[in-house]
Amino acid sequence: MSERLMRGPLLHFLGEPDKDATAVDYQPDALLWIKNGLVHQMGNYASMAAKLTGTQLSKVEDCSRYLMVPGFVDCHIHYPQTEMIGAYGAQLLEWLNTYTFPVESTFNDPVKAAAVSKVFINQLLKNGTTTALVFCSVHPESVDALFTEAQKYNMRIIAGKVMMDRNAPQNVLDTAQSSYDQSKQLIERWHGVDRLQYAITPRFAPTSSDEQLKAAGRLLAEYEGVYMHTHLSENVDEIEWVKELFPKAKNYLDVYDQAGLLGKRSVFAHGLHLCQSECEQLAQTDSAIAHCPTSNLFIGSGLFPMKRLQNHGIKIGMGTDVGGGTSFNMLQTLADSYKMQQLKGNNLSPEQSFYLATLGGAKALDMDEKIGNFAIGKEADFLLLDPNATDLLKFRTSHCEGWRDLLFVLQTLGDDRVIAQTNVMGVSI
Ligand code: GUN
Ligand code: ZN
């Protein structure tokens, strides 16, 4: 039996702060008691200390300098794009052809895929991301490499082989049949192994034939519990292209809907330019949107209509979208989301931001029964955030009044230096 006892300030969410003012649980002096990787108990230190033996009391770790929060959930990221993050000067379709496809074409090499997986998983953990929904490349080798690396840390990774059978260079294409067969093999090899899960991953409508999208839909129906992960309505030229390629579809989302790709384990990245009926259909099918602000700004795609989607009741999680996105760091991603929402007249609160990065992301991934907060029985994926991580933070946070102020300053000024410790199933990595 393994056990950890941590004492310090703690913050997590019991629900969505925008809807429920009592959803924020901040405890200035908490005890987090972990047994066998799960939250065994959590509550006010003084009232819980009485239950501890002398030996246990002597094992309590002093976290009074930190803030304990749940691990971050990244709902959309591309691991093969790690080496081209921050590439200059293009909007989506040109960016894909110039930078993305050439880099992704090299992931048929298992040695290369293993090397990049190492860097990628290390960056996730360093930045406090304990759960991620990840695009691999078209090559099955890329999926094996990523899952093998994630498994070493017992991480919650959902990933899949990209399916794409047209409108890209030959060396990143498969076919409807081969993508079906290879995805099936990968599902059988990896889905449900330790904390790993599989996502059927058609890249986006323009690079898949109707036949391939239907094959993806068949797979989704055949395997209970697997995910569907793709892009939706990111860029205006992309949307026009989808209209040309699928003239019979009512709208962009309808292309996926006709193939049976919507549902509670379906996650669509971006969703910037959705019409009313797309919003209604996302909500009705309990599908989720991954909001990727650093990417939307960097590749000039547009401003996310967060309030509008929330009003429709659509599940939203945060995505870094590396390498269209410019940071692995969730704090920086939240900072860009805040600035973007300012331009939309929406003052995104720090509690709503941190909710989206933790429990909101867990809900978007239909995983909130296992992760997302410190509820008893949940998997103990959590972080120690350091308010004194840099000289400026130390000075600025000394002027903070309360947890709300502190969260906002950490989000605005913070980066990977704030993540003092990342814990996966109760183990410090
Ligand atoms: N749409 C299709 N492929 C991609 C990709 O790799 N990144 C982004 N941001 N959008 C896409
Ligand atoms: Zn993406």
Side-chain angles (χ1 to χ4, degrees), residues 332-349:
Q332 295 191 354
T333 305
L334 297 178
D336 270 11
S337 180
Y338 175 81
K339 292 171 198 165
M340 182 186 278
Q341 292 309 306
Q342 285 286 65
L343 294 171
K344 299 284 287 179
N346 176 22
N347 291 112
L348 185 58
S349 70

Side-chain angles (χ1 to χ4, degrees), residues 124-179:
L124 290 185
L125 292 168
K126 210 178 146 82
N127 281 286
T129 296
T130 51
T131 295
L133 175 58
V134 187
F135 259 67
C136 300
S137 76
V138 72
H139 316 97
E141 296 86 348
S142 72
V143 181
D144 290 333
L146 181 72
F147 278 144
T148 300
E149 187 64 21
Q151 199 175 24
K152 292 181 191 165
Y153 301 94
N154 199 16
M155 275 180 89
R156 270 216 173 269
I157 292 288
I158 312 168
K161 168 206 131 55
V162 169
M163 302 169 80
M164 51 193 294
D165 66 350
R166 64 170 171 169
N167 293 322
Q170 195 59 40
N171 57 5
V172 287
L173 290 183
D174 51 19
T175 66
Q177 188 62 46
S178 71
S179 68

Side-chain angles (χ1 to χ4, degrees), residues 25 121 260 285:
D25 182 18
I121 292 291
T285 56

